[in-house]
Amino acid sequence: MEFSEYFPVWDNMTPQQQQAVSASLVSRSVKKGALLHNGGADCTGLLLIKTGQLRAFILSKEGREVTLYRLFDRDICLFSASCILRSIQFDVAISAEKDTQLWIIPPDVYRQLMEQSACVANYTNEIMASRFSEVMWLMEQVMWNSMDKRVAAFLLEEASIQAADRLPITHESIANHLGTHREVVTRVLRYLQNEGMVRLARGTVELTDRAKLEALGGK
Amino acid sequence: MEFSEYFPVWDNMTPQQQQAVSASLVSRSVKKGALLHNGGADCTGLLLIKTGQLRAFILSKEGREVTLYRLFDRDICLFSASCILRSIQFDVAISAEKDTQLWIIPPDVYRQLMEQSACVANYTNEIMASRFSEVMWLMEQVMWNSMDKRVAAFLLEEASIQAADRLPITHESIANHLGTHREVVTRVLRYLQNEGMVRLARGTVELTDRAKLEALGGK
């Protein structure tokens, strides 16, 4: 599969624009766990995922994390090229949750492309609006939902991403996704276990009653 | 002052595009307190503020509110025209915090303009990135900061917007900005009063030690 088949507005670009992108494109493999991008100091470029899974998250000064969204096959990561838009004034970190194959479009090449092509600029707009929507969903979760609902929603999402009911995940890691402390997650998980929704074992959480979890944390 | 002087990319538009916008433009006055836009069902159009102040906020099912950001003179409100971008999948409400004079650009006119002009599309991108940055700032506040820091930051922002140290504002209203309960705000304000940072009276909060408030809630 070629880049042109992954980039949705390829056919709307001129041959010159296609050539500029092709010539500057970098193909890269990253291992699970790798940090691809770390906040505003970096301007790596746009990432287009061939296969794999990336996680975008924010970090507090004290090292606490919260997951903003995930990126999957064919998704584009815009915030790894935040220097192309001067109004982006926040820092996002990007790490690989699976071994990932991706392309990098250098920021200066993409910026030029956006300036030349209304189609590419509008496509970029749609990408940003998608990420904005995910962050707003998270904001509503954080503002209005209690932690038991958020843990239930997180477990359902994980089970869907991993296509499995038995998740190899620690309480610490769930806390890092949700921006809370391990002790809080442990308390919530024990409550969910008492209610028959999950079964806990060392290093795993198994979903045992999806319907009940969905009633609690469903979108 | 004319619309052309308020719209930053006016000079980059063709005469035909300028004419299309001028012909469709609606000028409107809204009273303080008016609800201009209410979530996804509405697609009012782009709002460009001549003078005044708008507030963008989200609402929970139970009627709790949280302020996302404010818009002032010359600001543009994009989410009142969320139908122009299909990837915007969240609902924002917009109300007037002061008597406001504004122009409305109809959504179909603006969408066409974005499709034709890379410059307008990129300008729209910058607007969205600005709002995204404000929401991310709020997200960090909510995730990492305790309520005393958030109330201090809110009071400093209000004092700056109103250019006054004595704010005519109720505890209920502060709670609605921050997405919490009145009782929580009252408790925090009493703590701030004990620490000498504010003085409370019926319907007003007076900032009495800005330096201390800034040390607590400053950006």
Side-chain angles (χ1 to χ4, degrees):
Chain A
M1 290 280 276
E2 289 302 307
F3 176 80
S4 57
E5 293 171 55
Y6 278 79
F7 194 60
V9 288
W10 182 262
D11 293 338
N12 303 87
M13 288 156 59
T14 66
Q16 288 84 344
Q17 290 166 346
Q18 292 176 347
Q19 211 169 1
V21 171
S22 296
S24 65
L25 211 56
V26 177
S27 188
R28 213 169 125 191
S29 293
V30 290
K31 287 279 167 206
K32 179 179 169 172
L35 189 67
L36 276 86
H37 178 80
N38 192 10
D42 278 7
C43 197
T44 318
L46 258 85
L47 310 177
L48 198 163
I49 304 179
K50 214 165 165 176
T51 58
Q53 186 177 319
L54 303 183
R55 176 171 85 105
F57 60 101
I58 52 173
L59 266 169
S60 75
K61 285 176 201 131
E62 295 78 27
R64 279 168 69 199
E65 299 181 358
V66 61
T67 300
L68 296 176
Y69 50 83
R70 263 77 170 264
L71 298 165
F72 304 96
D73 298 5
R74 294 180 171 271
D75 276 342
I76 284 187
C77 182
L78 193 61
F79 296 117
S80 51
S82 56
C83 61
I84 63 168
L85 285 163
R86 69 174 184 287
S87 308
I88 295 182
Q89 281 151 358
F90 54 92
D91 293 342
V92 167
I94 315 279
S95 68
E97 286 194 311
K98 291 184 181 170
D99 291 351
T100 299
Q101 303 272 340
L102 49 83
W103 285 285
I104 303 173
I105 312 175
D108 51 333
V109 172
Y110 198 81
R111 190 194 292 118
Q112 207 178 4
L113 197 57
M114 276 171 66
E115 280 164 11
Q116 290 172 359
S117 160
C119 179
V120 172
N122 283 310
Y123 173 63
T124 311
N125 249 323
E126 291 287 351
I127 297 172
M128 186 152 42
S130 289
R131 303 299 169 255
F132 205 155
S133 299
E134 294 186 85
V135 167
M136 288 300 297
W137 181 82
L138 177 62
M139 177 71 86
E140 291 179 356
Q141 286 274 310
V142 170
M143 292 307 303
W144 321 130
N145 280 350
S146 51
M147 198 45 81
D148 57 338
K149 290 190 164 71
R150 294 185 57 208
V151 170
F154 173 79
L155 293 175
L156 287 165
E157 195 194 349
E158 275 301 304
S160 153
I161 291 173
Q162 301 194 19
D165 276 338
R166 194 183 165 86
L167 307 172
I169 196 164
T170 63
H171 301 192
E172 182 77 37
S173 160
I174 297 174
N176 279 342
H177 280 290
L178 301 179
T180 185
H181 297 286
R182 187 188 55 73
E183 294 75 9
V184 175
V185 170
T186 298
R187 194 166 57 236
V188 170
L189 286 173
R190 283 191 187 140
Y191 161 76
L192 298 180
Q193 180 167 254
N194 288 340
E195 295 291 312
M197 294 184 242
V198 302
R199 191 178 299 127
L200 305 176
R202 178 170 286 275
T204 66
V205 177
E206 190 183 352
L207 282 63
T208 49
D209 191 337
R210 269 176 181 262
K212 225 168 153 183
L213 279 168
E214 263 153 28
L216 179 64
K219 286 194 190 186
Chain B
M1 290 280 276
E2 289 302 307
F3 177 81
S4 57
E5 294 171 55
Y6 278 77
F7 195 61
V9 289
W10 182 262
D11 293 338
N12 302 88
M13 289 157 57
T14 66
Q16 288 85 343
Q17 290 165 348
Q18 292 177 347
Q19 211 169 0
V21 171
S22 296
S24 64
L25 211 55
V26 177
S27 187
R28 210 168 128 192
S29 294
V30 290
K31 287 280 168 205
K32 180 179 170 172
L35 189 67
L36 276 88
H37 177 80
N38 192 10
D42 277 9
C43 197
T44 318
L46 259 85
L47 310 178
L48 198 163
I49 305 178
K50 214 164 166 176
T51 58
Q53 184 176 320
L54 304 183
R55 177 170 85 105
F57 60 101
I58 51 174
L59 266 170
S60 75
K61 283 176 204 134
E62 295 78 27
R64 280 168 67 200
E65 298 181 0
V66 60
T67 300
L68 295 177
Y69 51 81
R70 262 75 170 264
L71 298 165
F72 304 97
D73 298 4
R74 295 181 170 271
D75 276 341
I76 285 187
C77 183
L78 192 61
F79 296 118
S80 51
S82 58
C83 61
I84 64 166
L85 286 163
R86 68 174 184 286
S87 308
I88 295 181
Q89 280 151 357
F90 55 91
D91 293 341
V92 167
I94 315 280
S95 69
E97 286 194 312
K98 292 184 181 168
D99 291 351
T100 300
Q101 301 273 340
L102 51 83
W103 286 286
I104 303 173
I105 312 174
D108 51 332
V109 172
Y110 198 81
R111 191 194 291 119
Q112 206 178 6
L113 198 56
M114 276 172 68
E115 280 164 12
Q116 288 171 0
S117 159
C119 180
V120 173
N122 284 309
Y123 173 64
T124 311
N125 250 324
E126 291 287 351
I127 299 172
M128 184 152 42
S130 290
R131 304 300 170 255
F132 205 154
S133 299
E134 294 185 85
V135 168
M136 287 301 296
W137 180 82
L138 176 62
M139 177 70 86
E140 291 180 357
Q141 287 273 311
V142 170
M143 292 305 303
W144 320 130
N145 280 350
S146 52
M147 198 46 81
D148 57 337
K149 290 189 166 71
R150 292 184 58 208
V151 171
F154 173 79
L155 292 174
L156 287 165
E157 195 194 348
E158 275 300 305
S160 153
I161 291 172
Q162 302 195 18
D165 276 337
R166 195 183 163 85
L167 306 172
I169 196 164
T170 63
H171 302 191
E172 183 76 38
S173 161
I174 297 174
N176 279 341
H177 281 290
L178 300 180
T180 186
H181 297 286
R182 189 189 55 72
E183 294 76 8
V184 175
V185 170
T186 298
R187 195 165 59 234
V188 170
L189 285 173
R190 283 190 186 141
Y191 161 76
L192 297 180
Q193 180 167 256
N194 289 342
E195 295 291 313
M197 294 184 242
V198 302
R199 190 178 300 127
L200 304 177
R202 177 169 287 275
T204 66
V205 178
E206 189 184 350
L207 281 63
T208 49
D209 191 338
R210 268 177 181 263
K212 224 169 155 183
L213 278 168
E214 264 154 27
L216 178 64
K219 287 197 188 184

